[in-house]
Amino acid sequence: MNTKLLFPNTLQRRKFLLHSLKASAGLAVLSPDFSFGKASVGSKKAWTVQQIMDLVMKEGNLSPINDTVDTLKSGSAGQTVTGIVTTMFATVDVINEAAKRNANFIIAHEPTFYNHRDNPDWVKNNEVVKKKQELLKKHKIAVWRFHDYCHSLRPDAVSYGVAKKANWTSYYKTGSRILTIPSIGLGDLVKHLKTSLGIKQLRVIGELDQKCVKIALMPGASGGVSHVTAVEAEKPDVLIVGEVSEWETAEYIRDSRLLGGKTALIILGHSVSEEPGMEYFAEWLQPKLADLKVTHIASGDPFTWL
């Protein structure tokens, strides 16, 4: 606009320009977007992968663990997060579903590349690993393994998550693997676990009519030494585990019972036994990240039971 043509008088031009500047300043105060093109009122906070990992450490009162397996398996710490998915295993199905939901950060409890440390060269020239890496890169998805720190939360997110899903929180004690529940037959206990945890098939050693009150709850794969140690020390009515080395725990329980022992064994399956823990972790994390959607996607049982 040529103010000289509209306002021939110099004083008039000065008054107009001063009025325009004041109006613009007022508009900027009323609408911060006007000058900068960025939403600052009602806008969502942008989070990076690193900031979320730091938040989990802080809110969980977690101390750094030396030589932990809880590292990034794909993506970068500096990338901006569009959504979060928690799961047991970052399977191909989980990755594709996360991408559909515009979630580019997967927090998985177990390895992504089929070995404890996620070493991609565990088996040289592994075509499945290469294809999975390409899929993650295609969708720009970061994967953080959350195993050691997950079990370091108080309560342990996995065992508490299982107890919560089984409606046993009133019997759960932080730091203890033992739960004392109202007396129930082993067969009815199996039915309860199948229904509450959504498991199709369980494996059992024991008499289905024996009464169970004292339970040793050990989801996941803590190993034969841990299983046997728990039974020897606690003498539970039933040991509930995720998975076993059949030549260790299973054979120990079988011989124990033949020699007069009373402990039964229920094997849930590794993935489905710890999945409730990552579901609980999503519930724990969501209130701390109001600006992001946190969703749990179950990786599920990899087996088909015939």
Side-chain angles (χ1 to χ4, degrees):
M1 179 184 294
N2 191 334
T3 56
K4 289 185 179 181
L5 295 177
L6 291 174
F7 303 102
N9 184 286
T10 301
L11 182 59
Q12 286 179 313
R13 289 201 304 274
R14 286 178 178 175
K15 287 181 178 180
F16 171 79
L17 292 172
L18 181 61
H19 175 74
S20 298
L21 288 171
K22 286 181 178 179
S24 297
L27 184 58
V29 169
L30 291 173
S31 178
D33 302 59
F34 182 79
S35 298
F36 304 102
K38 296 180 180 178
S40 60
V41 177
S43 63
K44 292 184 177 181
K45 174 180 171 60
W47 290 88
T48 67
V49 166
Q50 185 63 58
Q51 287 173 331
I52 291 170
M53 293 191 295
D54 291 343
L55 174 76
V56 170
M57 297 292 289
K58 179 182 177 182
E59 293 293 321
N61 195 28
L62 299 169
S63 299
I65 298 173
N66 292 329
D67 199 29
T68 181
V69 295
D70 292 5
T71 59
L72 280 180
K73 310 307 178 182
S74 70
S76 68
Q79 72 185 69
T80 300
V81 176
T82 58
I84 300 172
V85 163
T86 69
T87 191
M88 260 294 285
F89 290 89
T91 66
V92 170
D93 282 342
V94 169
I95 293 167
N96 285 329
E97 184 61 30
K100 287 180 183 178
R101 300 187 188 200
N102 193 35
N104 68 345
F105 187 21
I106 296 175
I107 302 178
H109 187 63
E110 295 294 16
T112 300
F113 300 116
Y114 324 115
N115 65 94
H116 185 54
R117 294 196 171 276
D118 281 298
N119 177 4
D121 294 322
W122 181 57
V123 173
K124 296 288 185 182
N125 300 315
N126 189 325
E127 287 298 321
V128 175
V129 167
K130 291 178 182 178
K131 289 178 180 178
K132 195 170 189 180
Q133 289 174 324
E134 290 169 1
L135 180 66
L136 288 163
K137 187 175 181 180
K138 171 187 173 183
H139 294 302
K140 298 180 175 62
I141 289 177
V143 176
W144 179 35
R145 186 175 181 193
F146 188 62
H147 181 273
D148 299 348
Y149 292 122
C150 184
H151 288 298
S152 297
L153 289 172
R154 288 293 176 263
D156 177 313
V158 170
S159 62
Y160 182 79
V162 175
K164 182 174 184 291
K165 197 132 188 175
N167 297 314
W168 288 343
T169 52
S170 58
Y171 315 118
Y172 182 89
K173 294 180 181 179
T174 299
S176 175
R177 60 198 171 199
I178 299 300
L179 289 79
T180 302
I181 66 171
S183 181
I184 184 173
L186 180 61
D188 289 333
L189 177 58
V190 167
K191 291 177 183 177
H192 171 70
L193 291 170
K194 288 173 68 175
T195 300
S196 60
L197 302 184
I199 302 174
K200 292 181 179 180
Q201 302 285 340
L202 301 180
R203 290 189 291 169
V204 180
I205 297 177
E207 301 296 329
L208 296 184
D209 60 351
Q210 76 175 69
K211 296 303 179 183
C212 299
V213 175
K214 189 176 183 180
I215 291 173
L217 180 63
M218 303 179 72
S222 55
V225 171
S226 294
H227 296 159
V228 173
T229 298
V231 175
E232 290 290 323
E234 305 288 353
K235 299 295 189 292
D237 298 315
V238 60
L239 170 65
I240 302 175
V241 303
E243 71 172 74
V244 300
S245 293
E246 294 184 19
W247 50 277
E248 294 178 343
T249 305
E251 291 303 326
Y252 162 79
I253 292 292
R254 176 157 67 172
D255 275 349
S256 170
R257 293 181 63 82
L258 291 171
L259 293 170
K262 302 298 183 183
T263 300
L265 175 67
I266 297 177
I267 304 173
L268 305 174
H270 190 153
S271 184
V272 291
S273 78
E274 294 192 290
E275 196 79 68
M278 293 309 289
E279 184 176 359
Y280 165 69
F281 176 65
E283 296 170 2
W284 179 90
L285 183 59
Q286 181 63 89
K288 301 168 178 57
L289 290 169
D291 299 310
L292 281 173
K293 178 66 175 175
V294 181
T295 306
H296 176 73
I297 299 177
S299 54
D301 191 337
F303 302 105
T304 298
W305 296 87
L306 301 178

